[in-house]
Amino acid sequence: MSQPEIFHPAHSHSASKGSALPSTPTRDGQATIGFVSLGCPKNLVDSERILTQLRVEGYDVVPSYADADMVIVNTCGFIDSAVQESLDAIGEALRENGKVLVTGCLGARDDEIREVHPNVLAITGPHAYEEVMSQVHNHLPKPERIPFETLVPDTGVKLTPKHFAYLKISEGCNHRCTFCIIPSFRGDLVSRPVGHVLDEAQRLKNAGVKELLVISQDTSAYGVDVKHRTGFWDGRPVKTRMLELCQALGELGVWVRLHYVYPYPSVDDVIPLMAEGKILPYLDIPFQHASKKILKLMKRPGSSERVLERIQRWRDMCPDLVIRSTFIVGFPGETEDDFEELLAFLRAAQLDRVGCFTYSPVDGAKANDLPDPVPDDVKQSRYERFMQVQQEISAAKLQARVGQEMLVLIDEVNPEGAVGRSYADAPEIDGVVHLSDETNVKPGDKVWVEIIHTDEYDLWGVVVPEEH
């Protein structure tokens, strides 16, 4: 029977896609480590940092449990299904290997892990890189460094394809949404120095990255914790603020995509950069709901009326703007009127990309104590009605793309053709552009494509000849 491989499911708490982790050639007598990474892109960046440090210290990273002296599981703890996935991954690593270190968001709930898996070697919380390495040193001999045998690239170990990368600009969050326990794991907002962020972005570009995906818990709040102090990059002053960060990133000549943006007034300042082509005209904004009552229960900012006005203003400034968002249906206290208000908002906002979740209690979240929980069958019915409305909006928006020419970044090439994404599509969470029978391209290429067909979520196109 073949040995199981260790995989990295990169997901957004809704679906998983597996891709094997990078491995290093094993050397006689060298300590070997397997790695399992779960959760959102922010967790993925934590995994990259830990793997980079392991490689710097000379540990070999291997792709199977059988070849590993120890396994590290970087967990997610955002919602119940993610918690269960993390516990299952820990259990599998224990069965197949026996020596397991646990880190990540679920690691903040030590008792919950040890109740199910008392035999794990150690547990640390999220972005606890030094603690993880300390535990590795406690349980495995530190390798003898062999200079220049295994060089770590300037960008560190990356778990994404070579042509795109996540750029994490901060840790933590100052919001206290009642359905979320992220601040209890990751703490309050801590912005990375702007010079460090831009240096990393430059290194990634130099290494061949064509798309930078800016991530954090709250991208709009970047620099609030340090009062937007001035840092330095490339010999010039740059404020620690989203606008100035985007201005500098826009000079690099790569796609820059903004994720997890709160709809503060400060976002207005960034839209002209999108209209000018400096950064992608794409905003990922988790609106979560439209009912003023439900938003108040969620402790979320904003009202649907002001949001609709702001969306219209953004589109007036940048007609190509694409907005993606996520929503929760079935939140405690949500009535049919609240839900109808949400559907009315959807129809009015005409958002391009939308994800939806039915509310589920998360251990430790304050929303658990709210009265009037919504029955599961009602939650499911509302989810289906929500998705039906959005599917019609999405299908119409994509149909309007037919006949347009769009620049597409190629993600993969297979015998059936190529698959890529336009500026309107973030990896893993949005749609794709299919180029049937097109094999004369490679991942990382950018090609102009004429859109010829669509369904509810994806586009099909043909490459436009260069002389066109």
Side-chain angles (χ1 to χ4, degrees), residues 267-276 283 313-314 317-318 321:
V267 178
D268 297 0
D269 299 332
V270 177
I271 303 300
L273 296 178
M274 298 179 177
E276 295 163 13
L283 281 175
R313 189 160 64 250
W314 294 340
M317 288 190 283
C318 181
L321 178 65

Side-chain angles (χ1 to χ4, degrees), residues 211-237:
E211 177 181 15
L212 293 170
L213 300 110
V214 177
I215 58 170
S216 65
Q217 295 299 142
D218 180 359
T219 296
S220 308
Y222 178 64
V224 166
D225 55 314
V226 294
K227 297 181 171 56
H228 301 302
R229 71 178 168 221
T230 299
F232 288 87
W233 176 64
D234 199 24
R236 59 189 168 99

